[in-house]
Amino acid sequence: MFELDIRSRKPIYEQLIDKLKQLIIHDVLKEDEKLPSVRELAQQLTINPNTIQKAYRELESQGYIYSLKGKGSFVHPSSKNGRKEELEKVREELKELFAEAMYLGMSREEIAELLKDVEGGERHD
Amino acid sequence: MIDVRNVDKSFDKQQILTNVSFHVNKGSIYGMLGSNGAGKTTMMRMLAGILRQDDGQVHIDNAGIYENTKTKQRLIFLSDHLYFLPQYTIRQMGDYYRSLFPGWDEERYEKLRTLFKLDDKQKLSRFSKGMQRQAAFWLALSTVPDVLILDEPFDGLDAVMRQKIRNLIIQDVAEREMTVLISSHNLREVEDICDHVGILHKGEILLERDLDDLKEDVHKIQAAFKEDAFDPDETDLDVLHVEKRGSVYVLIVRGTEKEVAQEIQSWHPVVYDRLPLTLEEIFIYEMGGVGYAFENILV
């Protein structure tokens, strides 16, 4: 399903969370779709099942997935309010990128243009 | 699952372990790290029931281990010096293990054969170091242990075999909550597989933590400030280590990511970069804190 970079400094558990979030946000994992079980994933990726368990728990508390006892974990029908934290993080990242873009000489109009592109792109999808 | 409390051990008059306590949960993979001569192997030999502690308590599932056959039958200890009965083949060792361990699973033994591809009718003494290691894992996993204690387990194995064996261990942890205790000097390897670590130094436990918590707690910061307007002594940060390379500060600090970021931001850095520490770095800085430091001396 995906690969982790075990040579990265980023803790495996954070990598897992990020990867799964990406898959959920980009609809690779659809609403109410079942996530691979802890066992499957542990074996596939050769990583500690406890780490995966922990990542799933974190995703659940952030509202990305829900779990049913004895059945496994599923993608939460996108309740956007559960993603406040994520939004905050993206906002911070954007701020930094904007600052960098402006420093490198990008104008306000160019940024607006970019934004339009992104919006348009999504509509045509 | 594994519960060690206030254990002391000395050989003759030399104190090896002092008041060691740690705990390993069922289904956890615990990495036991330590400087050379810290007492890791001694601790493991006590857990395997080979040695008896002088004082304190060494329990697996609320039962002692020393001279307790019942507990020992559910446990496998792979020492860093493997021992096989002289002139024995893997098959003969397997039969011997079957007579000792009630959990022995012949079906599993056969399944593992396809994985290891070793000739089990060949004498073990003819095998290379790495092949002997594989044979030891083959036998160990065929007993379906509840507790697996591994002292430098990946020594002598090639990269493919390492991955295979790690995968086998993880399967057992995921499927039947096997508990694993690993000691290794290869911190990279421990880092990938363990969820908890304990650091042993001079016979005492320095720290014992969830590995991810440990990593979230210590950060490597690279920051540069305008006109050097920064004084590491004046901050509220718990600084473990400071280094200045040109105009860039490299700091090792303890604290949550948010706290650290806030504090550094209040000094208005021009450059600010946070890197999670690798286990190797954590080990080195923690050891440095107790005077076991790396010193850059030309000899």
Side-chain angles (χ1 to χ4, degrees), chain A residues 5-14 38-40 42-51 54 96, chain B residues 27-29 163 166-167 170-171 173-175 188 192-195 210 212 215-216 276-278 281:
Chain A
D5 179 8
I6 53 162
R7 295 182 63 185
S8 152
R9 280 169 176 271
K10 208 160 153 192
I12 291 175
Y13 132 94
E14 273 179 34
V38 171
R39 275 184 218 175
E40 279 166 18
Q43 210 205 322
Q44 257 176 37
L45 304 171
T46 316
I47 52 178
N48 193 321
N50 298 304
T51 308
K54 214 165 116 188
E96 259 172 57
Chain B
S28 168
I29 305 179
Q163 189 69 358
R166 277 221 300 249
N167 205 289
I170 278 169
Q171 270 182 51
V173 172
E175 269 159 37
R188 271 255 43 124
D192 295 344
I193 195 171
C194 294
D195 47 80
D210 180 302
D212 290 319
K215 283 188 171 181
E216 268 166 30
L277 256 71
T278 62
E281 287 168 324

Side-chain angles (χ1 to χ4, degrees), chain A residues 36-120:
Chain A
S37 74
V38 171
R39 275 184 218 175
E40 279 166 18
L41 211 54
Q43 210 205 322
Q44 257 176 37
L45 304 171
T46 316
I47 52 178
N48 193 321
N50 298 304
T51 308
I52 298 172
Q53 190 83 60
K54 214 165 116 188
Y56 276 18
R57 241 180 285 142
E58 181 63 30
L59 282 169
E60 196 175 342
S61 76
Q62 289 184 23
Y64 282 88
I65 62 173
Y66 63 94
S67 63
L68 296 175
K69 245 200 170 134
K71 291 210 172 120
S73 301
F74 301 84
V75 178
H76 204 283
S78 37
S79 54
K80 295 232 154 102
N81 44 7
R83 300 186 183 171
K84 247 186 214 154
E85 218 174 299
E86 190 64 10
L87 216 68
E88 194 49 45
K89 212 166 119 193
V90 172
R91 189 172 288 142
E92 284 302 312
E93 278 170 15
L94 272 178
K95 249 192 194 161
E96 259 172 57
L97 278 177
F98 279 144
E100 196 172 336
M102 274 148 75
Y103 176 80
L104 292 174
M106 201 184 246
S107 71
R108 180 184 287 270
E109 287 72 32
E110 274 172 296
I111 292 175
E113 196 64 33
L114 262 179
L115 197 61
K116 241 184 241 160
D117 277 0
V118 174
E119 270 183 338

